[in-house]
Amino acid sequence: MAKRPTSVAGQVLLLQLAVIAVVVAAGGILTVLNERSNSDEATSRVVVAVAASIANEPSTPLAIASENPTARLQPETERIRKITGVDFIVVMAPDRTRFTHTTVDLIGKPFSGNIDGALRGETITETYVGSLGPSIRSVTPVIDTSGNIVGLVSAGVTRAKISEQFVRGLPMIFAVVLAGFAAAAAGSVLLARRLRRQTLGMAPAQLRTMYGHHDAVLHSIGEGLVVFGEGDSAELVNDEARRLLDLSDGPVTRASLPESMQSMDTGIVRGELHLTDSRVLFVNQDPVMWEGTRLGQVLSIRDRTELQNIMGELDSVRSFAESLRSQAHESANRLHTVITMVELGRSEEAVEFATADLELSQHLIDRLMASVQEPALAALLLGKMSQAGEQGVELTVTEDTALGLVGVLTPRELVTVVGNLIDNAIDASKESEQPWVEVTVRDSDEVLIVRVADSGPGMSPETLRTAMTRGYSTKADTRGLGLALVTQIVKRHRGELTTALTYGSVLLARIPSGDRS
């Protein structure tokens, strides 16, 4: 089993702990050295103060000048030594002869150490190896009332005692250092956990590989990808998504998306239909999860415009085929009727029946071909009339219908607009007792009008707005593209689609004719 590489968070944690350990160790060493220096300075101040207090005492010069200085000074200096905690107090003559000492055997013997500065009237401090070992000592002069130096006072603390006091303070120093290290380590662990969440626990090599693959995939796939984090700004938008959604370069927010996509559910979405002014888009959405935490959403967008156009053309062909089937069925019924009447010997009535039916059909064809010069639209209307009649719906084309050969819409666009509006109207009209549909297509120099009315319940402006972006069907539990595709064409030519309830449910498409060629 291959060893899993250490994550970025783990490497950062190890590096931080190493740095913290070095810093804390260096700080501890410096603190120990500083404490040692401070201990020496404090000891120096103490011995100077003790020596000066004894030297400045008025009884000291008098005791030195007496017949037995030791008898008068030794008890007093020992008492002071015990109170102040110094290791020795020596009162001596200017020639170094000791009058007092902690070790009685050394009284009367010469003092070892530097006294030159004291003989000049100064107080000196030094570290010296004397009779009690290395010590920090001070020497200060004793001056009588005449201003003469009659003796010297030295007080000192041995290095052994200083070290002992210093060692007693080390546990506290070490405790503070360890507490600092523990606090810093805890902060590093918390930081590493946060970094681990942000990097998903991956190692640097994994991140580099993932980024390289990620960048290559984003630019190569044929789907649009939009990744949102916890906020409203997209963290990632690939080139295909910008093309499909007509997004400019720069930051992308949810408000930049098409209106229908701005109000999508935050959960899992599969194959949801959305339409822009020029495209039919299928959108999938998946939440980004890591260890049970939702990090954002990923939108994948597919272009289905060309497929939908092909399906629209297929629907048109299917509609024409259905119309032909309906007409063939009716023609067969009429032919059988004529044949039967002939067989029954009622030839004149058979001729009259056939002629009347033919005149009615021909009149309708002649009227449509005269008012509608676009063959595709004329054929569509004839087919829809037959199809509606077969379904029990009365479909009429108004007398004011008039359309020239060249219009603002292409024949395919015109068939898409009129055909989808009629199909929706036929479906909606079936909810009434006497279903009917009325169609008007009128062209002028200013505007192309397509008006389809029906006997159905009608459509509210809110429902129409939904249908224009997300699809709509009058059938239960279905979602159609008819009105959305109509809206695409109308908006493409800067027109408008409105709904109203007047003499029936009316859908009106108005398209300016200014850009016809």
Side-chain angles (χ1 to χ4, degrees):
M1 181 176 177
K3 182 180 179 181
R4 184 178 178 181
T6 305
S7 66
V8 172
Q11 293 186 22
V12 171
L13 176 61
L14 293 176
L15 179 60
Q16 283 184 318
L17 291 178
V19 172
I20 290 172
V22 172
V23 171
V24 170
I29 293 172
L30 291 176
T31 300
V32 169
L33 295 176
N34 184 65
E35 186 64 24
R36 183 65 178 267
S37 176
N38 291 340
S39 179
D40 287 352
E41 291 178 3
T43 301
S44 297
R45 288 192 296 271
V46 168
V47 295
V48 167
V50 171
S53 64
I54 295 175
N56 293 330
E57 180 67 30
S59 61
T60 302
L62 297 177
I64 291 174
S66 66
E67 294 181 357
N68 190 358
T70 299
R72 298 183 59 177
L73 293 172
Q74 178 72 5
E76 187 65 21
T77 56
E78 282 300 299
R79 183 182 68 81
I80 295 174
R81 182 185 66 79
K82 293 177 181 179
I83 293 174
T84 58
V86 298
D87 286 326
F88 63 86
I89 298 175
V90 176
V91 181
M92 69 191 85
D95 61 358
R96 295 179 178 267
T97 302
R98 295 187 181 102
F99 297 133
T100 65
H101 198 282
T102 302
T103 303
V104 179
D105 293 342
L106 296 177
I107 295 175
K109 295 181 178 179
F111 175 79
S112 59
N114 184 13
I115 63 172
D116 295 341
L119 292 176
R120 292 193 299 270
E122 303 171 359
T123 297
I124 62 172
T125 303
E126 65 175 351
T127 299
Y128 190 82
V129 180
S131 58
L132 298 180
S135 64
I136 296 178
R137 60 179 66 184
S138 68
V139 182
T140 189
V142 178
I143 302 175
D144 61 8
T145 55
S146 301
N148 298 319
I149 296 176
V150 297
L152 304 171
V153 178
S154 175
V157 178
T158 63
R159 276 289 186 191
K161 186 173 183 178
I162 296 174
S163 297
E164 181 182 346
Q165 294 174 344
F166 172 72
V167 169
R168 285 200 299 267
L170 285 181
M172 179 61 69
I173 296 175
F174 290 151
V176 172
V177 170
L178 291 176
F181 178 79
S188 297
V189 170
L190 294 176
L191 180 61
R193 291 180 61 185
R194 176 178 175 82
L195 184 60
R196 181 174 179 271
R197 289 195 301 269
Q198 293 177 335
T199 58
L200 305 182
M202 289 188 286
Q206 292 175 317
L207 289 175
R208 285 195 302 270
T209 301
M210 187 183 70
Y211 175 79
H213 293 171
H214 168 276
D215 192 59
V217 168
L218 284 181
H219 290 286
S220 63
I221 62 175
E223 290 188 5
L225 286 179
V226 182
V227 180
F228 285 97
E230 297 179 353
D232 287 335
S233 296
E235 297 180 355
L236 183 148
V237 183
N238 72 345
D239 299 338
E240 183 68 4
R242 291 186 184 275
R243 185 185 72 84
L244 295 178
L245 300 177
D246 296 322
L247 300 174
S248 59
D249 294 337
V252 173
T253 63
R254 289 193 181 274
S256 307
L257 302 180
E259 182 178 354
S260 62
M261 294 177 64
Q262 296 176 22
S263 56
M264 287 180 61
D265 294 335
T266 57
I268 298 176
V269 174
R270 287 289 178 268
E272 193 168 272
L273 175 68
H274 293 266
L275 286 96
T276 66
D277 292 345
S278 58
R279 291 186 176 87
V280 179
L281 304 176
F282 275 23
V283 179
N284 293 329
Q285 178 177 268
D286 291 280
V288 179
M289 307 294 294
W290 186 69
E291 294 187 352
T293 302
R294 186 189 188 93
L295 303 180
Q297 298 92 30
V298 176
L299 300 180
S300 60
I301 306 165
R302 298 178 183 178
D303 190 0
R304 289 294 181 266
T305 306
E306 293 299 326
L307 177 60
Q308 194 57 49
N309 289 338
I310 294 173
M311 292 179 64
E313 293 181 1
L314 180 60
D315 287 341
S316 298
V317 173
R318 185 183 295 113
S319 177
F320 284 133
E322 187 66 23
S323 299
L324 291 174
R325 188 197 62 78
S326 299
Q327 291 177 0
H329 182 70
E330 288 190 12
S331 297
N333 289 337
R334 292 167 187 162
L335 181 59
H336 289 155
T337 301
V338 171
I339 292 173
T340 302
M341 293 175 71
V342 171
E343 290 176 347
L344 294 174
R346 308 178 71 171
S347 302
E348 292 182 1
E349 294 178 358
V351 172
E352 183 180 349
F353 175 81
T355 303
D357 185 69
L358 180 60
E359 288 179 352
L360 181 62
S361 299
Q362 190 61 43
H363 174 72
L364 178 60
I365 293 172
D366 291 342
R367 184 173 73 85
L368 284 178
M369 295 306 295
S371 59
V372 179
Q373 299 181 28
E374 176 54 57
L377 180 60
L380 175 72
L381 292 175
L382 287 171
K384 292 298 181 183
M385 291 176 71
S386 299
Q387 185 179 348
E390 191 176 52
Q391 298 179 38
V393 178
E394 181 185 358
L395 191 152
T396 59
V397 179
T398 61
E399 295 292 336
D400 59 342
T401 293
L403 182 67
L405 182 61
V406 179
V408 62
L409 302 181
T410 65
R412 188 174 71 176
E413 291 175 330
L414 188 60
V415 168
T416 298
V417 171
V418 177
N420 280 295
L421 291 180
I422 291 176
D423 286 341
N424 282 347
I426 290 174
D427 290 336
S429 67
K430 294 177 183 177
E431 298 186 24
S432 63
E433 294 182 359
Q434 295 182 338
W436 57 267
V437 175
E438 182 183 274
V439 181
T440 302
V441 181
R442 189 171 66 251
D443 191 18
S444 68
D445 293 337
E446 293 81 22
V447 66
L448 168 65
I449 293 176
V450 179
R451 180 172 57 243
V452 179
D454 63 73
S455 58
M459 183 183 300
S460 66
E462 291 76 15
T463 304
L464 178 61
R465 278 195 295 270
T466 300
M468 291 165 64
T469 56
R470 295 293 310 284
Y472 174 79
S473 175
T474 56
K475 301 182 180 69
D477 299 325
T478 62
R479 180 176 296 279
L481 279 172
L483 285 178
L485 295 176
V486 170
T487 302
Q488 277 189 338
I489 296 174
V490 171
K491 285 187 175 181
R492 190 182 305 150
H493 295 276
R494 301 188 300 280
E496 62 176 352
L497 182 66
T498 59
T499 181
L501 285 174
T502 53
Y503 62 95
S505 172
V506 180
L507 275 174
L508 177 64
R510 296 174 57 88
I511 301 174
S513 300
D515 60 347
R516 75 169 68 197
S517 55

